Amino acid sequence: MMDGHCLCGKVSFQVDPPVLSCVTCHCHSCRRQCAAPMTAYFGIRDGQLKWTGQAPKTFASSPGVERSFCPDCGSPISFRSASMSGIMHLYVALLKDPNQLQPTLHVAHEEKLDWLQMDDGLPICIGPDYTKMQPLPET
């Protein structure tokens, strides 16, 4: 089981592994939501997440995309895209042990900030939908 929570701890969750992916995202929307030059998130199938504290508040950030955040401290929690149906994405930094996951891909690389230098050798994906690159394993 993987546990995580927001900054104030009111929104908390448990995830039943395995995760489908762990990626860094460079898209404009993720950068805005997280106020960071990029963010790392992991994908899980519906049914693998259990809220153990208060549920987050949701916001429709663009057509087909729903983002969530803690209504008390404002921490970004997740995003869900209609184009990646049945998958919830949670931010790695929320995990009690964020070192348990390591990104394996950069998504929306075409939106990467020019001054951000990435020398990690990870593959890149144009656009945010990494699910189109290869089939995801069934649970």
Side-chain angles (χ1 to χ4, degrees):
M1 203 58 71
M2 297 188 311
D3 297 305
H5 60 84
C6 65
L7 181 61
C8 72
K10 289 183 180 173
V11 173
S12 59
F13 60 86
Q14 287 184 330
V15 171
D16 185 20
V19 302
L20 298 171
S21 62
C22 183
V23 305
T24 59
C25 186
H26 299 271
C27 83
H28 179 290
S29 294
C30 281
R31 290 196 323 256
R32 288 267 180 210
Q33 183 185 26
C34 295
M38 66 178 205
T39 191
Y41 62 75
F42 62 99
I44 56 171
R45 292 200 189 277
D46 288 346
Q48 289 180 263
L49 172 69
K50 176 184 172 189
W51 297 113
T52 56
Q54 174 180 324
K57 186 172 181 177
T58 59
F59 169 70
S61 62
S62 57
V65 177
E66 180 181 271
R67 295 178 179 275
S68 75
F69 59 95
C70 174
D72 292 301
C73 69
S75 294
I77 305 295
S78 70
F79 85 93
R80 179 185 294 278
S81 172
S83 71
M84 292 182 270
S85 166
I87 301 173
M88 170 72 82
H89 298 92
L90 297 156
Y91 295 105
V92 173
L94 298 172
L95 292 171
K96 286 184 182 174
D97 180 10
N99 284 311
Q100 63 191 313
L101 296 176
Q102 184 173 343
T104 59
L105 177 70
H106 292 283
V107 300
H109 195 262
E110 74 280 10
E111 296 183 46
K112 181 182 82 60
L113 295 172
D114 293 340
W115 52 262
L116 183 62
Q117 299 300 312
M118 305 301 302
D119 298 327
D120 57 17
L122 293 179
I124 63 170
C125 174
I126 301 304
D129 192 352
Y130 62 88
T131 64
K132 303 296 189 272
M133 291 184 62
Q134 62 187 17
L136 291 172
E138 292 299 319
T139 54

